[in-house]
Structures are given as structure tokens and as C-alpha cells.
Amino acid sequence: MADKKAQLIIEGAAPVELPILTGTVGPDVIDVRGLTVTGRFTFDPGFMSTASCESKITYIDGDNGILLHRGYPIEQLAEKSDYLETCYLLLNGELPTADQKAQFVSTVKNHTMVHEQLKTFFNGFRRDAHPMAVMCGVVGALSAFYHDSLDIKNPQHREISAIRLVAKMPTLAAMVYKYSMGQPMMYPRNDLSYAENFLHMMFNTPCEIKPISPVLAKAMDRIFILHADHEQNASTSTVRLAGSSGANPFACIAAGIAALWGPAHGGANEAVLSMLDEIGDVSNIDKYIAKAKDKNDPFKLMGFGHRVYKNRDPRATVMKQTCDEVLKELGITNDPQLELAMRLEEIALTDPYFIERSLYPNVDFYSGIILKAIGIPTSMFTVIFALARTVGWISHWKEMLSSPYKIGRPRQLYTGYESRDIPKLEDRK
Ligand code: CMC
């Protein structure tokens, strides 16, 4: 792994030799761990040049628009696999055999219900609370219910917690929605697929059970697959960091949900719809494009650009195809907001400002449109992202815990006061 070396020349000090590590694919990595002996360390806010861990789960080549889970391209997973199979792959490293798949699906289904007492937690929240606020609370609260799987040193406990999280997230997400609507919460139905069951718990009521459209269930499943993992993004890094202190898995996932909430991360799909609302009409597009380009204006085109994809986001390509299928199934042809979205997409793909900066539509641009068409309110969009990403978070958590690791503790470049004495109150200005 480390046959090449880099040499660091520090003025007035002996050169430092640093090993260069080589991954399976992707750029080489300079191992700076040996730097501590020099009394110096590196400065990299935003982690633009820093790998925080070694991982075998997901590979992204942002320049070429490639996303692989355990080596399999995301386009193939979206086309030939389903969400639970993708979950198995992320958690276990290989696609399941037919028997393993049947066993995994059945185990997940055994865990879809949540403890009945968890329902009472919801009453503590205002009905108009943001669903992500409620999710942070109720997912964290799972640690108060499932004591029997909290020993993080026990691989079996880690496995059960992972399954519980994957199985219970749709139930909790739908409960959050039903609570906000003032409707009775629906129990999961294990005769349905993962995506069908989620749509059932979201949209059916005890007095009216409608069949779930296979096209919409497939679209939902694809949304889950496309959001399942994305290597060391802000929320996954948060889960790893929280986990590195020995926190229990439910608490770690609650931390991940909080990190995902922000509009620069998972909150972007909700922000896309809010932005379309704000723009209002195609006649206002030029004004908003000018705002997006203006360095003195904080406005950004939500759903465009990505920290790692400097070419097309491969998830966006699959999502756009799914978007077309859903709109056709639902007979939506002349929705003004959609027209606005399509016009924005067209401009961003042809305007030199966006081309020069490689600001392509990302996965959230299309997922927002699909979710809206399915009838999911915008405030639930990030919850759905969290539901789907839970398997990625917990796979990274499991990976970290199954090899030697240290508590995550970044350093800082201190630029505050040097040591000083406290003046008397009457002498302070
Ligand atoms: N609209 C207008 N200009 C933009 C945008 C945008 N959406 N995104 C980046 N830029 C400009 C930015 O002003 C900068 O210009 P200049 O070089 O002239 O200073 C240049 O493009 C590079 O941007 P950056 O902010 O350095 O890029 P970053 O890698 O730090 O940020 C990002 C990536 C995703 C946070 C940012 O593109 C953004 O805020 N996009 C909108 C929010 C969004 O859609 N987020 C979802 C990401 S996909 C889901 C996920 O994986 O979480």
C-alpha cells in the first residue's frame, strides 16, 4: 500500500518523509500521521484535501461522474437491483444470493414496527414542527427502547441495530408525516415491498386503503437507492465522528440526521422547491440567474453544483429518467413549477457561468420534483433522504467499529488571544 514516499521540506528543519498510500482506484494519498513528531500539523478547513478514514464501501470520481457502491456503478444498481438488495450490499460487501436476499428481506420485515410507547413521544412536539426536528428526536429516542442491541463491541448487536434502523426508518418517517397531518398513524404491512409499505403508511388511512401504484413504488425505491450512500459527506462524517466516541448507533444516526438537515446538504431538495416558489414564474428566471451569479448576493441556485461532482452527478441522470416516468404516470404535463424547473435546467446547462464552474443539476434537483409529484410535502423531502441514507451511515459506522479506530479529534489553527490576566470589573472597557 505504501511503497512511494513524499518529502516535506520545512525551512530550518530536517526534511520529513511521508508515506504515499495507494487505494484500489482514485488518487494517491499522502499519509501525514508522521507529522506530529515535528510538532506541526496540517490545516484543511472543509476537508478539501483530507481523507479522514480508509473505506471499502463507496467510491466517487467526481471529475468523471462515477459513483460505485462496493464496485457496482450506481446506474446498474438503480436499473438491476432494488433498495433492500443495495442495503445488503452496503452492509455486507457483496450482493446477496437469492437465499440470502430472502432471509435479509424477511429479517428487515420482522423489525418494521416500533415500540408502541414511542408513539407517545410525538405528542410532545407541536404539529407544525419541522419533520426533521421530530426525526432527530424520535430516532435518538430509539436508544431508550432497544437496550438489548446497544453493546457496540458486540458484532451481533451492531448487526441487529443496523437492521432495526433500516427497518424502522420508513415507519418513523411516515409517523412524523401522519402526526403533522393529524391523521392516525398507520402500522407497517409486511406483505408489501419496502417502498410500497412506505407509501402505504404515508398515504393510506385506516378508513381507506388504496393500492399503491407500481410506477410510484419503483420511483420511490429508486430514490432510496440513489440516496443510499455517498462516502464521507458531512452527515456520514458526523456519524463516524459521533461513533468514534463510543456513542450508540441510534444516537449516531440522530447526529447524522441533524447534519443532513442543512440546505447545503440534504436540505437542498426542499430548498429547490422553495426556490421555485420564490422565483414564481418563468418571466423572473433572468433576474434570479443574475442574482445567482452576483458575488454580493447570497442567493444560490438550489439543486445545482456539488462538492465532488465537477461533471454530471450520475444520480441526477437516473433521477431525471425516473422523473419523466413519474410525471407520465401521473399525467402531469403542464405544471408551471415543473416548466420553471426545466427552463432553469436548460439555462444552467448552456450558460457559461454554470458551465465554467461545472454547476450541473444534482440529485436533489430532480428528486424534489418527483417527490412533489408523488404528493409528498416539501418539508418531508429531507426526511426521505435521511430514511434512504440511514443504511449508508450505519454501514460506515459498522465499518469503522470493525477495525481499530481512534476517537475523531481534529486540531485547530488558534488565532485568538495569547494568555492574559482577568482585569477587575471597574477597569474593563
Ligand atoms: N448557484 C450559483 N453559484 C454557485 C452554486 C449555485 N448553486 N454553487 C456553487 N456556485 C459557485 C460559487 O459561488 C463559486 O463561484 P466562484 O468560483 O466564482 O467563487 C463556484 O461556483 C464554486 O462553488 P463552491 O461554493 O466553492 O463549491 P463547493 O464545492 O464549496 O459547494 C455546494 C458545493 C453543493 C455546497 C454548492 O454548489 C451549493 O451550495 N449548491 C446548492 C445547494 C445544493 O444543491 N446542495 C445539494 C448537494 S447534492 C446533495 C448532497 O450530496 O448533499
Side-chain angles (χ1 to χ4, degrees), residues 48 227 230 233 260 263-269 271-272 292-293 295 299-310 313 315 353-354 357 359 362-365 385 389:
M48 301 285 285
H227 286 91
H230 215 225
N233 52 78
L260 185 76
H265 192 6
N269 51 14
V272 169
K293 293 178 184 176
K295 287 278 147 277
F299 177 80
K300 276 190 175 176
L301 273 195
M302 288 294 131
F304 288 83
H306 200 276
R307 169 57 66 84
V308 287
Y309 292 119
K310 300 305 173 193
D313 177 343
R315 302 167 301 169
Y353 173 93
F354 294 93
R357 289 167 181 76
L359 299 172
N362 58 47
V363 66
D364 286 333
F365 183 70
F385 193 158
R389 183 56 59 85

Side-chain angles (χ1 to χ4, degrees), residues 269-427:
N269 51 14
E270 181 178 346
V272 169
L273 269 287
S274 311
M275 174 191 74
L276 294 177
D277 273 344
E278 189 186 329
I279 300 177
D281 188 80
V282 269
S283 62
N284 295 325
I285 286 187
D286 289 348
K287 188 175 104 193
Y288 279 90
I289 292 281
K291 273 164 75 65
K293 293 178 184 176
D294 182 355
K295 287 278 147 277
N296 300 316
D297 192 319
F299 177 80
K300 276 190 175 176
L301 273 195
M302 288 294 131
F304 288 83
H306 200 276
R307 169 57 66 84
V308 287
Y309 292 119
K310 300 305 173 193
N311 196 314
R312 284 202 82 125
D313 177 343
R315 302 167 301 169
T317 313
V318 182
M319 205 60 108
K320 182 170 166 46
Q321 186 197 332
T322 308
C323 184
D324 295 341
E325 285 167 19
V326 167
L327 297 175
K328 191 165 160 235
E329 162 80 1
L330 296 171
I332 302 174
T333 45
N334 54 357
D335 179 271
Q337 211 170 33
L338 193 67
E339 196 192 328
L340 191 58
M342 294 306 135
R343 182 77 192 109
L344 268 184
E345 180 200 27
E346 201 180 301
I347 291 176
L349 292 175
T350 49
D351 186 309
Y353 173 93
F354 294 93
I355 293 172
E356 280 158 21
R357 289 167 181 76
S358 303
L359 299 172
Y360 295 96
N362 58 47
V363 66
D364 286 333
F365 183 70
Y366 299 108
S367 68
I369 297 168
I370 300 174
L371 293 173
K372 184 195 171 225
I374 293 180
I376 293 173
T378 44
S379 60
M380 280 295 292
F381 288 6
T382 318
V383 171
I384 286 165
F385 193 158
L387 183 175
R389 183 56 59 85
T390 293
V391 71
W393 290 330
I394 206 69
S395 301
H396 282 271
W397 175 83
K398 274 182 74 204
E399 181 179 64
M400 183 180 72
L401 293 196
S402 49
S403 1
Y405 66 97
K406 280 179 114 55
I407 184 168
R409 175 54 169 94
R411 308 293 295 260
Q412 62 167 7
L413 170 65
Y414 178 70
T415 52
Y417 287 109
E418 289 182 27
S419 175
R420 52 187 182 151
D421 294 323
I422 297 180
K424 288 188 188 137
L425 188 59
E426 57 273 25
D427 294 342

Side-chain angles (χ1 to χ4, degrees), residues 5-259:
K5 288 199 179 352
Q7 211 180 45
L8 180 70
I9 312 287
I10 306 172
E11 223 178 87
V16 188
E17 270 209 344
L18 300 169
I20 297 183
L21 309 180
T22 306
T24 331
V25 269
D28 285 350
V29 171
I30 302 171
D31 180 349
V32 295
R33 281 174 293 184
L35 257 188
T36 47
V37 296
T38 71
R40 295 175 177 87
F41 42 90
T42 53
F43 179 60
D44 185 22
F47 302 108
M48 301 285 285
S49 307
T50 299
S52 60
C53 63
E54 185 186 323
S55 181
K56 292 184 170 55
I57 301 175
T58 291
Y59 172 73
I60 302 174
D61 174 348
D63 291 335
N64 295 306
I66 293 170
L67 168 60
L68 311 177
H69 291 322
R70 305 284 191 184
Y72 295 109
I74 191 66
E75 296 86 346
Q76 289 188 30
L77 289 167
E79 185 64 36
K80 300 181 180 167
S81 182
D82 58 42
Y83 180 67
L84 281 185
E85 203 170 83
T86 304
C87 289
Y88 185 97
L89 174 71
L90 289 168
L91 287 164
N92 300 300
E94 294 296 340
L95 284 167
T97 61
D99 284 351
Q100 287 167 333
K101 184 172 177 178
Q103 178 64 46
F104 182 72
V105 171
S106 146
T107 311
V108 169
K109 286 185 173 178
N110 273 336
H111 287 280
T112 47
M113 284 196 296
V114 294
H115 194 290
E116 196 64 8
Q117 214 176 321
L118 198 77
K119 266 190 187 171
T120 57
F121 271 64
F122 285 84
N123 296 330
F125 290 98
R126 287 169 54 135
R127 296 239 180 222
D128 62 356
H130 193 287
M132 282 296 275
V134 186
M135 282 302 278
C136 289
V138 293
V139 174
L142 292 177
S143 21
F145 288 89
Y146 301 104
H147 300 134
D148 57 342
S149 65
L150 291 186
D151 178 3
I152 62 161
K153 295 199 173 72
N154 181 332
Q156 230 180 340
H157 280 210
R158 299 202 291 264
E159 190 63 37
I160 297 168
S161 291
I163 297 279
R164 278 183 167 147
L165 277 156
V166 170
K168 293 181 198 311
M169 282 300 276
T171 314
L172 290 173
M175 285 168 91
V176 168
Y177 174 61
K178 289 296 194 191
Y179 182 74
S180 74
M181 298 286 286
Q183 286 184 4
M185 290 166 180
M186 299 294 287
Y187 287 110
R189 265 184 52 192
N190 290 349
D191 58 321
L192 300 176
S193 74
Y194 193 85
E196 282 170 337
N197 175 47
F198 175 62
L199 292 173
H200 157 73
M201 290 187 291
M202 284 287 290
F203 296 117
N204 280 332
T205 63
C207 51
E208 193 170 12
I209 307 281
K210 291 192 214 141
I212 305 298
S213 146
V215 175
L216 300 191
K218 186 174 155 214
M220 205 66 241
D221 197 72
R222 280 229 169 125
I223 289 181
F224 293 157
I225 296 175
L226 296 178
H227 286 91
D229 190 43
H230 215 225
E231 51 118 310
Q232 313 309 324
N233 52 78
S235 56
T236 304
S237 300
T238 301
V239 171
R240 278 188 180 256
L241 200 55
S244 76
S245 76
N248 76 67
F250 303 108
C252 294
I253 299 303
I257 293 174

